[in-house]
């Protein structure tokens, strides 16, 4: 049986492709792309490999698929509903933002930066420290030691912002976390001085590791500004497992028949501030060891997917009810304090709305769901192998339609090496388990 799978894949012109594909689980839909761009290889001590070569081979479109692509591209420009629309999915407004929005600037692709900006805080002083430190990544794209001149300006700007805004940053810390936050600020100050010396010594290779360390301090300070959980989850979902904060998991995958990669550990940060129900459901399943020993069930160069258990069930069967546990579609809009539930943003008429957790990063983690039912997600998850330049944030049919709840922050490039049949040896919560409310795994017996 086939599922209708939508995808927005942009290059020089926006287009949408609607393709019928045989799937592991016929009812669940997820994005698909026939792009063939490959991410740069990544090296990590947490992965076993030999001369990694990431290749994504594109497949030619059929005539029918090309015709559909053209029709949908026209629909995107004119506002005509796409072939995948429901009767109430579109309002009179255009489906996409103005073209000026699409090309307004380079997207934020770094998962760490996306997670920092997604925190429910409003402290301009710490953001003014964060931004120039993140800009070091762009500065390092310049060849040779010339890049260090730009890096030096970035460091000086961040250091000046920290000195001028230190009082405001400290005042923004939650009272219960102030001591820890001040400790991180002191480490950040010392680290900034160390980075300046690295630049003065013209040690280009040492810049990126120190930058990563400093941004971890910044992220820690920003998390220490969050005082408790910022809102109430709707009553109908309050008894579900809820992640009221952040958590992190390590997913160890055993790779088969790949001479370049034997096994890899993917570090994933889950965001319960913006997706408490979705992230809580996943953490609860992890603690039940639901994913341990499960195979990768889809790997097509655009997504990697798993989570469909053996047997007729397409999700997690709660032993206490003997029924499939489903969760609602959950999306937080930038500028709003709480998520919206049960509807896509286009169904709500929010065509230009920005999501707090966008499909921006390679390794964005989201829930698969039934094609025609928003509130049907259960256990099937996917990671997007996405190039942001080709699929701009909030200009595709993924943002606002699927519940993103985390990002792979370590070894994400190796997701492209996974294949159907590779085995998830284990998924373990390594931090933040204390933020899980209503843990059903504790009463599983």
């Amino acid at each position: 049986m086939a599922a209708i799978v939508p995808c927005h894949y942009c290059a020089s012109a926006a287009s949408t492709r609607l393709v019928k594909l045989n799937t592991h689980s016929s009812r669940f839909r997820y994005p698909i792309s026939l792009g063939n761009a490959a991410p740069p290889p990544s090296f990590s001590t947490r992965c076993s490999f030999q001369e990694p070569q990431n290749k994504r081979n594109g497949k030619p479109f059929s005539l029918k698929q090309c015709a559909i692509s053209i029709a949908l591209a026209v629909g995107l420009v004119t506002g005509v509903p796409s072939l995948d629309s429901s009767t109430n999915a579109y309002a009179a407004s255009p489906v996409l933002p103005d073209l000026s929005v699409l090309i307004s600037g380079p997207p934020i692709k770094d998962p760490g930066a996306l997670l920092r900006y997604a925190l429910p805080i409003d402290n301009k002083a710490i953001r003014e420290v964060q931004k120039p430190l993140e800009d070091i990544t762009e500065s390092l794209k310049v060849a040779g030691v010339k890049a260090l001149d730009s890096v030096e300006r970035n460091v000086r700007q961040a250091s000046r912002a920290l000195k001028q805004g230190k009082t405001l940053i400290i005042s923004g810390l939650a009272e219960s976390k102030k001591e820890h936050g001040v400790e991180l600020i002191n480490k950040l100050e010392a680290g900034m001085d160390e980075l300046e010396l690295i630049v003065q010594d013209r040690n280009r290779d040492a810049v990126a590791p120190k930058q990563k360390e400093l941004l971890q301090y910044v992220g820690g300070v920003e998390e220490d500004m969050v005082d408790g959980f910022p809102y109430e989850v709707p009553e109908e979902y309050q008894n579900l497992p809820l992640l009221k904060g952040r958590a992190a998991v390590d997913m160890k995958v055993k790779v088969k028949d790949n001479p370049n990669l034997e096994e890899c550990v993917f570090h994933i940060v889950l965001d319960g501030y913006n997706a408490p129900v979705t992230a809580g459901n996943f953490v609860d399943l992890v603690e039940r060891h639901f994913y341990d020993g499960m195979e990768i069930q889809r790997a097509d160069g655009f997504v990697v997917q798993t989570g469909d258990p053996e047997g007729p069930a397409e999700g997690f069967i709660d032993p206490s009810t003997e029924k499939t546990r489903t969760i609602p579609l959950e999306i937080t809009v930038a500028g709003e304090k709480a998520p919206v539930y049960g509807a896509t943003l286009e169904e709500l008429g929010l065509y230009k709305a920005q999501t707090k957790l966008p499909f921006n990063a390679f390794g964005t983690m989201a829930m698969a769901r039934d094609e025609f039912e928003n509130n049907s997600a259960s256990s099937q998850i996917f990671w997007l192998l996405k190039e942001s330049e080709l699929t701009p944030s909030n200009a595709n049919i993924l943002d606002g339609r699927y519940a993103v709840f985390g990002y792979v922050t370590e070894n994400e490039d190796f997701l492209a090496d996974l294949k159907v049949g590779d085995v998830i040896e284990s998924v373990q919560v390594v931090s933040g388990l204390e933020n899980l409310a209503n843990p059903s795994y504790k009463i599983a017996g």
Side-chain angles (χ1 to χ4, degrees):
M1 192 171 179
I4 296 180
V5 185
C7 162
H8 183 74
Y9 193 85
C10 300
S12 58
S15 66
T16 301
R17 298 168 182 172
L18 194 65
V19 185
K20 289 190 176 182
L21 293 168
N22 292 325
T23 64
H24 181 83
S25 173
S26 60
R27 292 177 59 247
F28 281 76
R29 82 184 207 183
Y30 30 76
I32 179 66
S33 169
L34 300 179
N36 57 4
S42 173
F43 299 90
S44 170
T45 57
R46 304 186 72 192
C47 292
S48 301
F49 60 89
Q50 295 179 351
E51 298 180 2
Q53 297 177 352
N54 295 341
K55 296 182 180 179
R56 292 180 223 168
N57 295 321
K59 298 179 180 179
F61 277 119
S62 67
L63 181 61
K64 179 180 179 180
Q65 292 166 356
C66 288
I68 293 174
S69 297
I70 294 170
L72 289 172
V74 173
L76 290 173
V77 175
T78 62
V80 177
S82 75
L83 301 180
D84 190 42
S85 65
S86 60
T87 55
N88 62 350
Y90 292 86
S93 302
V95 172
L96 289 180
D98 296 332
L99 290 179
S100 60
V101 175
L102 301 184
I103 58 176
S104 59
I108 298 174
K109 299 185 294 181
D110 178 67
L114 291 169
L115 287 163
R116 286 187 288 273
Y117 284 113
L119 286 167
I121 64 171
D122 183 18
N123 189 290
K124 184 179 179 181
I126 190 64
R127 298 298 195 199
E128 289 180 347
V129 177
Q130 174 184 333
K131 183 61 168 60
L133 287 177
E134 290 173 345
D135 288 344
I136 290 174
T137 301
E138 290 298 315
S139 296
L140 288 175
K141 291 181 179 179
V142 178
V145 294
K146 290 183 179 180
L148 295 177
D149 295 334
S150 295
V151 172
E152 187 173 18
R153 289 192 292 271
N154 297 143
V155 177
R156 287 178 178 175
Q157 182 181 350
S159 182
R160 183 169 59 251
L162 180 58
K163 290 176 182 177
Q164 294 176 348
K166 186 174 181 179
T167 301
L168 290 174
I169 293 171
I170 292 176
S171 66
L173 295 169
E175 197 62 38
S176 61
K177 304 176 183 178
K178 183 162 287 188
E179 182 177 351
H180 181 256
V182 170
E183 180 183 346
L184 290 178
I185 292 171
N186 292 334
K187 289 182 178 180
L188 180 59
E189 282 184 308
M192 215 92 80
D193 293 338
E194 293 169 3
L195 183 53
E196 284 196 62
L197 291 176
I198 288 172
V199 175
Q200 290 173 11
D201 291 340
R202 314 305 281 177
N203 186 357
R204 179 189 170 111
D205 292 340
V207 171
K210 179 58 68 171
Q211 175 206 24
K212 181 178 180 181
E213 177 188 330
L214 297 183
L215 285 172
Q216 286 175 340
Y217 293 148
V218 170
V221 171
E222 292 174 347
E223 288 196 45
D224 287 342
M225 291 179 172
V226 182
D227 189 8
F229 194 68
Y231 56 87
E232 287 292 328
V233 173
E235 185 176 356
E236 58 264 44
Y237 310 127
Q238 288 182 2
N239 292 328
L240 291 170
L242 304 174
L243 185 64
K244 294 188 172 183
R246 293 267 170 89
V249 302
D250 281 349
M251 181 176 73
K252 184 177 181 180
V253 180
K254 180 68 174 177
V255 180
K256 297 179 178 180
D257 304 323
N258 188 336
N260 300 321
L261 188 67
E262 294 179 2
E263 65 179 24
C264 195
V265 178
F266 299 94
H267 187 71
I268 307 169
V269 177
L270 310 170
D271 188 352
Y273 290 122
N274 295 291
V277 176
T278 312
N281 175 73
F282 177 75
V283 172
D284 190 69
L285 293 178
V286 167
E287 287 299 296
R288 289 174 175 269
H289 303 284
F290 177 84
Y291 297 100
D292 294 0
M294 187 173 287
E295 292 185 349
I296 298 298
Q297 296 157 355
R298 187 171 188 85
D300 53 23
F302 192 61
V303 297
V304 171
Q305 180 162 332
T306 191
D308 184 6
E310 293 184 1
E314 294 179 324
F316 167 64
I317 303 297
D318 190 334
S320 64
T321 63
E322 297 184 349
K323 296 180 180 179
T324 302
R325 182 170 79 194
T326 58
I327 58 174
L329 179 62
E330 180 179 48
I331 298 169
T332 300
V333 176
E336 298 296 327
K337 293 183 178 180
V340 293
Y341 291 89
T344 67
L345 295 190
E346 73 173 349
E347 288 171 346
L348 297 172
L350 301 175
Y351 303 112
K352 297 186 179 183
Q354 304 288 309
T355 55
K356 289 291 287 292
L357 299 176
F359 281 96
N360 252 31
F362 195 94
T364 300
M365 187 176 186
M367 294 297 297
R369 59 178 175 82
D370 188 287
E371 183 179 352
F372 302 107
E373 177 50 58
N374 291 339
N375 298 335
S376 60
S378 179
S379 62
Q380 295 192 44
I381 54 178
F382 67 89
W383 295 271
L384 186 63
L385 311 182
K386 172 191 163 181
E387 302 297 339
S388 295
E389 290 88 349
L390 300 179
T391 316
S393 176
N394 299 94
N396 55 71
I397 61 174
L398 301 183
D399 285 307
R401 286 196 178 188
Y402 295 88
V404 175
F405 63 102
Y407 298 96
V408 180
T409 61
E410 292 181 22
N411 296 321
E412 60 269 23
D413 287 341
F414 285 100
L415 285 167
D417 287 301
L418 300 186
K419 306 180 304 301
V420 173
D422 291 342
V423 178
I424 298 174
E425 291 190 344
S426 64
V427 186
Q428 295 181 330
V429 179
V430 294
S431 67
L433 186 58
E434 68 278 4
N435 294 325
L436 181 65
N438 310 325
S440 72
Y441 69 90
K442 288 189 174 182
I443 58 172

